[in-house]
Amino acid sequence: MSIMEARCENMVLNSFDGHKFPITRHENESSKIDEMDFFSRSSSGSLKNPLSIDVKEEEQQDGAHQELQLNLNVGSSPNTTNGAKMNVGSPCTNNQTTHKMAILQAQLEKMKRENEGLRSMVSQVKERYVFLQKHIQENIISHETSENIKMNEVVKEDTKQSLLFPLEFNNLNQITKPEVDNNMMKIDSNVDSPHNKDFKFNSPRDGDRVAVEATMRRARVSVRARSEASMISDGCQWRKYGQKMAKGNPCPRAYYRCTMAVGCPVRKQVQRCAEDRTVLTTTYEGTHNHPLPQAATAMASTTSAAASMLLSGSISSSNNLNHHLTSGSMLSSYPPNITTSLSSTAPFPTITLDLTNPSTNQHIPQPPFHFPFSTNMLPNINLPNRPLVLGQLSSQHFNATKFADVQSSEQELMSAATAAVTADPNFMAALVAAIGSIIGNDQRNNGGSKNENDNDNMRN
DNA sequence: CGGCTTTGACCGGCGC
DNA sequence: GCGCCGGTCAAAGCCG
């Protein structure tokens, strides 16, 4: 019987810096430690007792019952030997006790090292996350600038075709123009609303821009999916604010606005297809101004990316579009034959992602419709033994089939890492995006990618 | 009682 | 200028 098999119903490790690592095990599974909370901080962590272990061990040896009670209080008790206090039941010998102490200390050292490794891992991931976020923002700013330059040229050439890069799609979770709720709309003209078409920017330097944006058209992303439900579940919270009968379609069109945050500008229209009532067309407009739940990030990033590409002019063909959309979005978990189309007849630039393609139906969950990423995907991540850096992630770290082969200690680390990751929604969102990107790259690599350079750019 | 849905009215864009 | 149409508002009603 090893030390870890000792009876330790609720063992708690208190590290030197106040971390508290509760260790529990499931019933009928005495040889496993199932949960090790390496990341949660104990508010009641005492500096006087930075590390303590209470272990009771029952051992049957040569017919004699032995009970070992170890009360290890490192650096706290004057009765400690090498920082440990022991109450060992007779007839356990001193040699046996010393031996068990040594094993215990070795285990503690091992846990400490693993703890340090994990914390270093998390800190590196977070640093990388911040770096990537900054990098994305910089790219978006430069992208917008170049788009504005391009637009000025377009406006000079043909003032009638003034298509400006809409502010809504500049960045996911980024507010780029004043957002107000319905009540504020009445008193604030800085709103892009049909009733406030003459909205003004605070800076007088924006006068030219206002003139151009007066004719600005907003981009939309339309998603076609088969669903019996009245609305596909995309992870966001919506409130219906209107319903109209649209021309040429006997099915009414419903209007929803996002209610996850006050003043969120995102709206969507839901309408059944006239030709096929099982097809639900959901049209999204705008970008959320609030953190999204994990279930919503895939959809939001996809629609945002699609709209950005649509408006930036980086999409020159449907194939190119498909490639872009399957590179780093929710669609990356689908085969790359999802059909997309651009509409020039719609009142706004609209991109349609058609998930009803018969060849892809087998991959699309049947109603109620859900998008691919969910929390139960994360435990299948095989954490590497070395520090994790998002930019270095590859598919081998996420091979679910290899997961069954990992050792129990790795599973314990997995549980701890999962707990830490799921604790931070922003971190989770970034991780999900990264995983989506990786899976997409992996699928294309397996299926034969046409544009490796683009993939490299995405990774960079 | 607060939040949501329903639904008729209203507004602005656009084509004729 | 007029009518059509898409989109939104807001009062009323519903629901948990």
Side-chain angles (χ1 to χ4, degrees), chain A residues 12-272:
Chain A
V12 175
L13 298 184
N14 288 323
S15 71
F16 292 98
D17 59 354
H19 279 71
K20 186 179 178 182
F21 305 141
I23 303 173
T24 60
R25 64 174 170 85
H26 291 172
E27 289 183 10
N28 306 323
E29 205 176 352
S30 61
S31 63
K32 271 189 178 179
I33 294 175
D34 297 297
E35 295 175 25
M36 295 179 70
D37 186 355
F38 283 88
F39 300 96
S40 64
R41 286 190 175 272
S42 169
S43 58
S44 59
S46 168
L47 290 174
K48 285 187 176 180
N49 189 17
L51 177 62
S52 65
I53 292 181
D54 295 310
V55 177
K56 273 189 177 178
E57 183 173 79
E58 288 181 353
E59 194 169 285
Q60 203 72 26
Q61 192 176 50
D62 296 329
H65 177 75
Q66 294 187 4
E67 181 175 348
L68 173 66
Q69 287 185 325
L70 297 179
N71 189 352
L72 181 63
N73 297 296
V74 178
S76 64
S77 169
N79 297 329
T80 55
T81 303
N82 285 337
K85 182 182 79 176
M86 297 174 295
N87 298 320
V88 182
S90 175
C92 203
T93 65
N94 286 341
N95 282 346
Q96 285 174 323
T97 306
T98 309
H99 177 63
K100 291 182 184 302
M101 266 299 304
I103 296 174
L104 259 181
Q105 284 183 327
Q107 293 285 340
L108 281 173
E109 285 302 315
K110 187 183 173 187
M111 287 179 180
K112 256 178 64 179
R113 283 196 300 272
E114 289 174 349
N115 180 27
E116 288 301 319
L118 282 168
R119 286 165 63 186
S120 154
M121 188 187 301
V122 169
S123 120
Q124 287 194 41
V125 169
K126 284 190 173 180
E127 282 175 14
R128 183 72 180 176
Y129 167 56
V130 170
F131 171 78
L132 285 173
Q133 209 171 28
K134 206 179 282 186
H135 186 65
I136 289 168
Q137 283 179 350
E138 285 171 0
N139 280 349
I140 285 163
I141 289 169
S142 62
H143 178 74
E144 184 187 12
T145 306
S146 62
E147 284 301 317
N148 285 341
I149 292 170
K150 204 190 297 181
M151 275 316 306
N152 287 338
E153 294 171 355
V154 170
V155 168
K156 283 177 187 174
E157 290 175 3
D158 185 358
T159 54
K160 288 183 180 177
Q161 289 207 338
S162 55
L163 173 65
L164 188 73
F165 193 90
L167 298 172
E168 290 97 334
F169 293 99
N170 283 355
N171 191 9
L172 184 66
N173 299 334
Q174 180 183 353
I175 309 171
T176 52
K177 68 176 177 183
E179 304 296 350
V180 291
D181 61 21
N182 288 339
N183 294 332
M184 292 173 70
M185 273 185 173
K186 295 171 182 172
I187 57 174
D188 192 339
S189 63
N190 293 352
V191 182
D192 183 13
S193 154
H195 306 291
N196 295 283
K197 293 300 177 186
D198 56 342
F199 71 90
K200 301 175 185 66
F201 288 87
N202 292 333
S203 169
R205 290 166 51 193
D206 292 323
D208 292 342
R209 189 173 180 169
V210 170
V212 177
E213 293 197 7
T215 56
M216 178 182 85
R217 294 188 297 169
R218 293 174 295 183
R220 292 174 177 179
V221 178
S222 192
V223 178
R224 282 165 51 86
R226 293 191 186 279
S227 175
E228 298 296 331
S230 60
M231 198 166 70
I232 61 175
S233 95
D234 49 20
C236 282
Q237 199 175 343
W238 303 93
R239 177 179 176 173
K240 191 175 183 179
Y241 66 89
Q243 179 168 308
K244 289 282 287 189
M245 294 300 298
K247 192 183 178 186
N249 193 333
C251 303
R253 176 184 299 164
Y255 299 88
Y256 296 87
R257 68 163 56 97
C258 177
T259 58
M260 294 194 77
V262 175
C264 180
V266 176
R267 297 181 180 188
K268 76 171 181 181
Q269 302 173 6
V270 179
Q271 188 172 31
R272 294 215 165 270

Side-chain angles (χ1 to χ4, degrees), chain A residues 281-292:
Chain A
T281 303
T282 307
T283 304
Y284 293 88
E285 178 185 324
T287 299
H288 297 279
N289 64 353
H290 51 85
L292 290 167

